[in-house]
Each structure stands twice: as structure tokens, then as C-alpha cells.
Amino acid sequence: MKEEATLRKSLTLFQVVFLGLAWMTPMIYFSVYGIAYENSHGMMTQAYLLAFIAIFFTAFSYGVMSKKYPTSGSAYAYAKRAIHPYLGFLVGWALLLDYLFSPIIACLTFGIYLHAQFPSVPAYIWIIALNLLLAVVNIIGINFSANLSKLFVLIQIGFIAIFCTVLVNKLMSSGQPVQPLFSGDVPISVILAGASIICFSFLGFDSITTMSEETIRSEKTIPRAIMIIIFTAIVLYTGPSVLTQLAFPAMTFDNVDTAGFELVKMVGGAGLSSLFITVLIMAIFTQGLSSVVSVSRLLYVMGRDSILPKRCFGFVHPKLNTPTNNIIIVSVISLLALVIDLEMAVKFVSFGALSAFICVNLSVIAQCYWKDKQRSFTQTIKYLICPLIGACFIGWLLSLLDKDALIMGLVWLLLGISYHLYRTKWSTASRTGEAPDLKQPTSV
């Protein structure tokens, strides 16, 4: 009997870290600068620190569950095994919003920026070109994707270092007194509102849990990588925010959406702004690359578990050891970037990610505190108090999404429920093979 192809363990700690940072995209600091600045009334540093605290508890929960279940299913697998298979399906379905629409956002922004730079070339040409390139690179293999992501993430970090160096020189040469960084003039409610926007800059640390089955010693590597990613992110975000806040206590922008570009031009002139556009395009590419890796692995696990048609979604190429069918499917779906609105895509991502985050926190309580009865004083803090804080923080962020985002998310969940009912009925009626037993976890 021919042995079925599986994902190959080959990723090291730092390859996983760079894939996660590529998904998160350090340059997102500049992409959301205008919106974050307005919502926090300029208190960017304080808002970033509050956002980090909110995300830290959920990141801790992901680390706990990735040790318990070193599978590529991420939040889907955790909720399925810790709480209930049906909830696992709903979490996986919601998570698909986050992961499926992330490549769409990458393609959209790539087309927008390059069309702005080269107006004679239509945006759809850039969108299609990036889509094809992402598919080819992902099909070649995850190690190639990881190494390319590492290079481009290092370039992004290098740009942020240059930006901070120019700002330091500007502060030192200005001769003007530095304004206090922390001020009581801005209410905490305003800073919290800014933090709710800035939290989305941290989305993506969870994507590496979809690579568990391709990671060497994943039960140790993945939790370490998650913490390295979020601590690296807070350094990369607070560094420029502190310096910018000190150098420019009050700013106004011509266009909120391009405020990051205006800031860079204000700090370093035309030379630094030209470098900014180049690095930003690289950042968009690496974010798209990593997001295709993540969603193709999530689809693979859902296919292997027969939640999605196994023959198609559970297929791994015998030579390349990559889920080629899923990569092609994701590339086709990503063509929605030709017709969909960027704001709508962002709303889908936000709803999917935050819904999954809540369930991962609850999964820690269900698995460790309830099932495994880990209830000592220290364990109560780790497996009950911390996840509850994380779930409350994320639930609060979810409640801040606008009505359209919540309605679209609920419609997507209803579609998932309808599909699950149809799939279950079809499996029961079929006599050509056994129906998948959703009550038993799939072995990894």
C-alpha cells in the first residue's frame, strides 16, 4: 500500500519566528499610523503598551495549547479537542475569515501602492502578478518561503532602525526642550480607544501555530516563537512611537490613510520616503507569503479531518511536501482582490481573528483547569485567571467592531453552520464510506 504524503518537519525556531513576523509585518506601524494617532490623540506609546498587555494573555494561551496539541490546526484544533468538535468547526470556520482574507489584503495593498507609483500600469496587473508569485513560492516549499521572509523582515527592521536613528539625530540637533512623554491631559478612555485600533498590529503571532507539523520539536519551539514574536513587535512599535512622540508632540496630516508616508517624509525627506515605499512593498509581499502558508495549512488539517472534502483539501504533494491543492485554491480566492473593498476585507479579518482568540483562551480553561484538574495556586493563575483576562480583553475588542463587521461575521458563521449540517447529512446518507467521527480527535 502506498504511503500517504505528509508535511515534513524542517522549520527551526528562527524560521518560524520570521514567518510570524512576516505575517504581522513590522512596517504596519506606518500603515496604521494616521488612524492610530487620531484615535489615541497622539498617545501612541501608551496605546501600544496597553495593546501589548491585551494581546499578551492570548499569546500565552496559544503557547499553552500548542504544547498540549502540536498540530497544524491552530485554534480550530484546540477548541475541537479541549471543548467540543462542533465548536472546533465553528472556530475553524471563523478563522478562515482571518486567513483567507489576509492574502486578499496583501494583493489589494500591493496593487494600490504600485499603481500609485506607476499610474500607467493598472492595479489589476500588480494584483494578478503578486497572486501568481505567492502561489509559486509557496508550492516550491515552506523552507524557501521562510528564508525569503527572513530576508525581507530583516530589511523592514533595518528601515525602522534607520528611521529611529534619523529621529534621534533630529532630536539631538534641534536644541529644543523635549516634551514629557506621559501626560495626564488625555483621558484613559481615549488611550484605550487607540489601543483597540493598535491591537490589530499584533495580529499574526497566532499564524505560526498552523506550522506546528512542519516545525522541529514544535511543542517547545512554537510557544517560544510566539513570545519572541510579540516581544519583538512591541520593541519595533514602541521604539519609533516614543521618538516620534518626543520629536512631534502635535501633528496634523493631509490624509489619514497616508499619514505614515507623510511622517517618514517629514523626518527624512524625499530620500527616506523613497526607501520607505520600496521596503513597504517588500513588507506587503512577505505578509502575503506568510498568510498563504498559514491558510493552506489550516485548510489541510480541516481536510484531513474530513471537515472539508479530504481528497482535495487533505492532499500533500508527494515530492514537494506542500498542500498544493490548497495553495491553488487560496490563489483563486485571492483574485477577489480585483473586486472587493479593502475596508470590507479588513473587517472580515478582524472578526475572524478575535473570535478565534476568545475560544483559544476558553480552551485553556477547559483543557487545563477543567479536564486536567490543574488547580494549584500557580496553575489557577496560569490556566484560569490569565485566560479569563485574555478572553475579556479580546471580547471587549470584538464589541468595538462596527455593526457591519459583526453582521458580516455572523452571516459567515451561519453559512458555516449550514455547510456543516449539509455535510453531516450527506455523510450519514452516503453508503460508500464511513462518515467522519467528529467526536474523536484525529491523531497527529
Side-chain angles (χ1 to χ4, degrees):
M1 184 177 177
K2 187 176 179 181
E3 188 177 349
E4 187 177 352
T6 57
L7 301 175
R8 181 173 57 214
K9 284 188 178 290
S10 58
L11 293 177
T12 64
L13 172 63
F14 286 103
Q15 284 180 317
V16 173
V17 166
F18 280 109
L19 278 169
L21 287 173
W23 203 108
M24 186 178 286
T25 314
M27 291 290 286
I28 200 173
Y29 171 81
F30 299 99
S31 301
V32 301
Y33 187 84
I35 298 172
Y37 186 89
E38 284 203 344
N39 281 271
S40 64
H41 287 205
M43 299 291 104
M44 297 276 287
T45 304
Q46 297 86 331
Y48 269 113
L49 290 173
L50 285 173
F52 172 76
I53 293 169
I55 290 297
F56 174 81
F57 292 101
T58 298
F60 175 78
S61 292
Y62 266 95
V64 170
M65 294 308 295
S66 65
K67 285 182 182 178
K68 289 282 184 183
Y69 300 113
T71 173
S72 294
S74 188
Y76 153 70
Y78 306 153
K80 172 188 173 184
R81 298 184 179 193
I83 303 177
H84 193 276
Y86 188 69
L87 180 63
F89 164 77
L90 288 179
V91 171
W93 189 261
L95 198 60
L96 281 176
L97 278 179
D98 178 6
Y99 289 175
L100 280 174
F101 277 83
S102 293
I104 293 173
I105 290 173
C107 291
L108 260 173
T109 51
F110 190 81
I112 290 168
Y113 276 102
L114 280 177
H115 177 61
Q117 287 292 105
F118 308 100
S120 60
V121 182
Y124 71 84
I125 297 293
W126 298 114
I127 290 171
I128 294 171
L130 177 62
N131 206 12
L132 290 172
L133 184 58
L134 292 177
V136 170
V137 173
N138 273 283
I139 287 171
I140 289 173
I142 195 167
N143 275 292
F144 183 75
S145 300
N147 292 331
L148 195 60
S149 295
K150 177 182 177 181
L151 173 63
F152 284 179
V153 166
L154 287 173
I155 291 172
Q156 293 179 62
I157 293 173
F159 176 83
I160 292 173
I162 292 171
F163 176 81
C164 290
T165 301
V166 174
L167 261 178
V168 168
N169 290 334
K170 195 177 186 70
L171 280 168
M172 293 178 67
S173 61
S174 67
Q176 296 179 355
V178 175
Q179 297 296 320
L181 185 62
F182 293 93
S183 171
D185 296 338
V186 179
I188 187 65
S189 59
V190 172
I191 298 175
L192 284 170
S196 70
I197 300 296
I198 284 172
C199 262
F200 301 120
S201 299
F202 290 90
L203 298 185
F205 71 87
D206 59 303
S207 66
I208 63 171
T209 60
T210 64
M211 307 166 203
S212 292
E213 292 174 46
E214 296 163 278
T215 302
I216 300 168
R217 299 179 67 192
S218 62
E219 66 280 359
K220 292 184 177 181
T221 301
I222 295 296
R224 289 175 184 172
I226 288 172
M227 288 303 163
I228 291 172
I229 288 168
I230 64 167
F231 277 99
T232 301
I234 191 59
V235 171
L236 293 174
Y237 296 153
T238 56
S241 70
V242 167
L243 294 171
T244 302
Q245 204 167 321
L246 291 173
F248 307 105
M251 287 188 288
T252 56
F253 306 104
D254 294 332
N255 188 336
V256 173
D257 293 337
T258 58
F261 179 75
E262 292 180 39
L263 172 67
V264 171
K265 196 169 184 179
M266 192 187 309
V267 171
L272 191 63
S273 59
S274 297
L275 180 61
F276 166 76
I277 292 295
T278 304
V279 176
L280 187 63
I281 289 170
M282 290 183 183
I284 293 168
F285 172 77
T286 52
Q287 192 273 329
L289 189 66
S290 183
S291 59
V292 173
V293 169
S294 300
V295 69
S296 61
R297 272 61 183 177
L298 176 61
L299 290 171
Y300 163 72
V301 174
M302 294 182 78
R304 187 182 60 189
D305 290 357
S306 296
I307 296 296
L308 297 174
K310 184 175 183 178
R311 182 170 301 209
C312 176
F313 292 95
F315 173 79
V316 173
H317 194 281
K319 292 183 179 179
L320 298 172
N321 293 102
T322 53
T324 50
N325 287 356
N326 296 340
I327 293 168
I328 293 169
I329 290 169
V330 171
S331 298
V332 172
I333 293 174
S334 294
L335 291 175
L336 283 172
L338 297 171
V339 296
I340 201 169
D341 178 70
L342 182 60
E343 184 180 358
M344 182 179 293
V346 170
K347 288 177 179 179
F348 272 119
V349 168
S350 301
F351 181 90
L354 295 177
S355 299
F357 285 2
I358 291 173
C359 289
V360 170
N361 282 300
L362 296 179
S363 295
V364 172
I365 298 171
Q367 181 63 53
C368 300
Y369 192 77
W370 184 257
K371 289 184 178 180
D372 298 343
K373 301 186 186 303
Q374 295 178 282
R375 299 174 182 173
S376 70
F377 178 75
T378 303
Q379 290 169 338
T380 298
I381 293 174
K382 290 170 62 177
Y383 305 134
L384 178 63
I385 304 301
C386 287
L388 273 178
I389 293 172
C392 291
F393 260 125
I394 300 302
W396 166 67
L397 292 176
L398 186 62
S399 71
L400 293 176
L401 292 178
D402 65 32
K403 184 175 69 174
D404 291 340
L406 294 174
I407 291 174
M408 288 189 297
L410 291 174
V411 168
W412 174 256
L413 288 179
L414 288 174
L415 288 174
I417 293 170
S418 300
Y419 167 78
H420 189 273
L421 291 173
Y422 166 78
R423 181 81 179 163
T424 304
K425 184 177 180 180
W426 175 85
S427 298
T428 304
S430 175
R431 300 300 179 214
T432 58
E434 288 189 9
D437 184 3
L438 297 181
K439 295 184 179 181
Q440 298 299 323
T442 302
S443 60
V444 177

